Amino acid sequence: MSEAFDPFALLADPNLAARRLPGDLRLSSSRFPESPEGYGNADWGHYHGENEGRFVLLDATGPGVITRLWFTMTDYDVEPPDRSGSDAARLFVTLDGVPLDLGDGPGAGATLGDLTSGRRPPFEAPWVVRRADGGNAVIIALPMTFERSARVELVPPEIQVYYQVDWRALPAGTRVAPSALPPDAATQARIDRAADALRDPPTGTERATFEGELLPGGEAEVEVGAGIVRSLSVDGPGQLEATLRVDGEVAATGRVDRWLFAGQSAAPYDSTLSAFDGTTRTLRYPIPVEGAATLRLRNPGEEPVAVAASLGVDPGAPPAALGRFGMSCDAGSSEELTNRTFLELVGRGHLAGHHLEVRDTQYGWWFMEGDHEVFVDGAWTLLGTGIEDYFGGAYYFQDGVMQHPLYGITGFDLNGGPHIGSSFIEASMYRHHLLDAPSFQRELAFEYEITDPFATYDACFAWYADRGE
């Protein structure tokens, strides 16, 4: 008999990003009811039912796992608008017909403020983001599994409520141990190991390096043999060109500030699968190598530059179940208000992460109103509510940068203007997908609604193809 689906054991696996998980990712949200071609922007409310004063956010049949709940709420009847109402909203979660004890007793629910305060184990960092740290967004990312059904309900204040519930529908017959709260000692230990893995990912037991000066047009290489590359780091100007070849095939190429998830507007940050300390950009996606991997750097500028680069690797034959790593980047704008496809994949595999840098020279933050829309195997499966919502924030990140192990905004350039009032915006954002990785059997396309024709997008996606694809 196969092992039960255990989200915490999976999250503790350093190779998880390279594994295609069973099932399909789903998104239940407050999105304005419309087709993918629509441009409605009233993305609040739109609940999926009401039950004795509780509004239904998710009503799913199992087996499955809830991977993230995101909320933000606004009272526009006061000036300035009040964003604090989400703290008082009361959440209820029922799994397989059993109400969870979220801290106030079985079936009593709990307020989002209490749940994200860090004082209600296991709802602690990195599983929650409180409103003060999330730019007025509230996030609960503690995985919750169910075998037959899941119901998420909210009693909100009478204000505008925006929400997203990411969940993974697992294949029928998948063995799942339904989540129970509070967790027993063994479950708490698994939760703690998963949290440690998110905070402290491996960087490789052996390291190949280059350090020196590159003249204009000059090149340098770093190479490792069979194993799993755990970290790829480059210290140097963001305009450096870098190409990663794995087993003779190009896995990633382009400017290092783009595909190493730290664009021109990025400030220092540290996440599970990428980091930037101000000079060194590091990617930590596990990269299986059967023969050799080579990182080639080139200086496209007109002046010599100092460069340091390294590949950290765990040597040995990589497990066959791990996918083949790829990085795809696309840059550009659209003169029309339309959807623009930034990624198209065919075959079998999964999307593992996304870095986006957007520049706008006319309408400021209005580009954030574009929804992310993902097409998988013949159907639109993920239809979002706004760019900053996808990356974990809210309200155009007006409360500053935010960092989480799996998503955030690393920095922005306002060209000296006020945050909301500036017409010139440059923002750098990231999201890593682990339990919530969209899987595909035939094809996947990732689009954004283009709501501002003056915006320019630099988008890079980390993905894995099944071996042999």
Side-chain angles (χ1 to χ4, degrees):
M1 181 178 293
S2 62
E3 294 184 1
F5 184 91
D6 184 343
F8 300 110
L10 289 168
L11 287 168
D13 177 4
N15 295 326
L16 176 58
R19 298 187 185 277
R20 180 165 61 86
L21 295 178
D24 303 295
L25 190 65
R26 296 287 184 261
L27 176 61
S28 177
S29 77
S30 57
R31 176 185 171 92
F32 186 78
E34 62 180 356
S35 68
E37 294 80 15
Y39 270 78
N41 196 40
D43 292 328
W44 61 85
H46 302 123
Y47 302 107
H48 300 276
E50 184 179 355
N51 177 29
E52 297 181 351
R54 301 181 189 178
F55 292 94
V56 180
L57 313 184
L58 175 69
D59 193 0
T61 56
V65 55
I66 299 169
T67 60
R68 187 182 83 149
L69 294 91
W70 169 95
F71 302 93
T72 194
M73 304 179 195
T74 303
D75 184 353
Y76 284 111
D77 291 335
V78 297
E79 185 61 37
D82 184 5
R83 321 288 193 192
S84 64
S86 56
D87 288 341
R90 183 165 289 271
L91 182 73
F92 299 82
V93 179
T94 303
L95 304 177
D96 293 346
V98 179
L100 291 187
D101 183 352
L102 300 179
D104 291 342
T111 67
L112 295 180
D114 285 342
L115 277 175
T116 59
S117 66
R119 299 188 297 270
R120 290 198 172 187
F123 294 96
E124 302 168 297
W127 308 115
V128 298
V129 177
R130 63 177 183 156
R131 186 171 56 84
D133 298 328
N136 278 301
V138 173
I139 298 175
I140 299 170
L142 183 77
M144 290 178 277
T145 52
F146 54 96
E147 188 173 34
R148 300 183 307 278
S149 64
R151 192 173 182 90
V152 179
E153 299 168 307
L154 190 74
V155 176
E158 293 183 0
I159 58 178
Q160 289 187 359
V161 176
Y162 305 79
Y163 70 88
Q164 292 187 3
V165 180
D166 293 279
W167 65 286
R168 188 171 204 89
L170 297 172
T174 301
R175 294 178 55 235
V176 174
S179 294
L181 294 174
D184 58 27
T187 302
Q188 185 63 56
R190 295 201 306 276
I191 293 173
D192 293 342
R193 284 193 293 270
D196 289 343
L198 293 178
R199 295 189 187 101
D200 189 21
T203 58
T205 58
E206 297 185 5
R207 192 166 300 276
T209 63
F210 166 82
E211 187 170 358
E213 184 179 72
L214 289 186
L215 298 175
E219 296 184 345
E221 284 190 355
V222 180
E223 182 173 291
V224 296
I228 299 177
V229 173
R230 297 291 183 193
S231 62
L232 185 160
S233 297
V234 178
D235 186 334
Q239 294 77 15
L240 279 174
E241 295 175 352
T243 298
L244 175 67
R245 287 184 175 270
V246 178
D247 299 329
E249 301 291 332
V250 174
T253 189
R255 289 171 43 133
V256 297
D257 61 355
R258 295 183 64 202
W259 69 267
L260 268 68
F261 283 30
Q264 296 180 59
S265 57
Y269 79 101
D270 191 11
S271 72
T272 300
L273 296 174
S274 61
F276 178 50
D277 66 5
T279 60
T280 301
R281 297 166 172 85
T282 300
L283 203 68
R284 301 190 184 117
Y285 284 88
I287 303 174
V289 180
E290 295 179 332
T294 303
L295 177 65
R296 174 172 291 182
L297 302 173
R298 178 180 176 275
N299 176 14
E302 298 179 354
E303 300 291 335
V305 295
V307 176
S310 68
L311 292 175
V313 62
D314 288 338
L322 303 186
R324 174 172 52 85
F325 175 79
M327 181 75 71
S328 298
C329 297
D330 187 15
S333 59
S334 175
E335 296 180 356
E336 299 179 357
L337 301 181
T338 182
N339 279 22
R340 189 181 191 280
T341 302
F342 287 91
L343 175 70
E344 291 183 283
L345 300 173
V346 295
R348 289 193 305 172
H350 62 279
L351 177 64
H354 178 22
H355 176 263
L356 179 67
E357 186 161 52
V358 185
R359 299 170 192 85
D360 195 300
T361 59
Q362 207 62 8
Y363 293 150
W365 294 96
W366 188 248
F367 67 85
M368 288 284 189
E369 298 299 337
D371 300 340
H372 79 286
E373 303 186 340
V374 183
F375 184 82
V376 178
D377 296 337
W380 293 97
T381 60
L382 307 172
L383 299 174
T385 58
I387 288 180
E388 76 269 46
D389 309 349
Y390 170 75
F391 290 102
Y395 306 112
Y396 303 161
F397 299 107
Q398 62 185 278
D399 289 334
V401 299
M402 62 162 290
Q403 299 180 18
H404 181 273
L406 299 179
Y407 29 78
I409 180 168
T410 66
F412 38 73
D413 181 359
L414 305 177
N415 199 34
H419 190 101
I420 296 300
S422 176
S423 61
F424 176 95
I425 301 295
E426 187 171 338
S428 183
M429 298 155 278
Y430 67 93
R431 181 164 176 180
H432 309 302
H433 291 284
L434 292 176
L435 292 179
D436 60 352
S439 303
F440 56 96
Q441 301 291 332
R442 301 188 308 276
E443 60 182 337
L444 179 145
F446 192 108
E447 299 185 355
Y448 281 115
E449 293 177 344
I450 304 300
T451 56
D452 182 353
F454 296 97
T456 300
Y457 299 75
D458 283 343
C460 286
F461 299 86
W463 51 272
Y464 290 86
D466 288 8
R467 297 288 183 88
E469 295 291 326

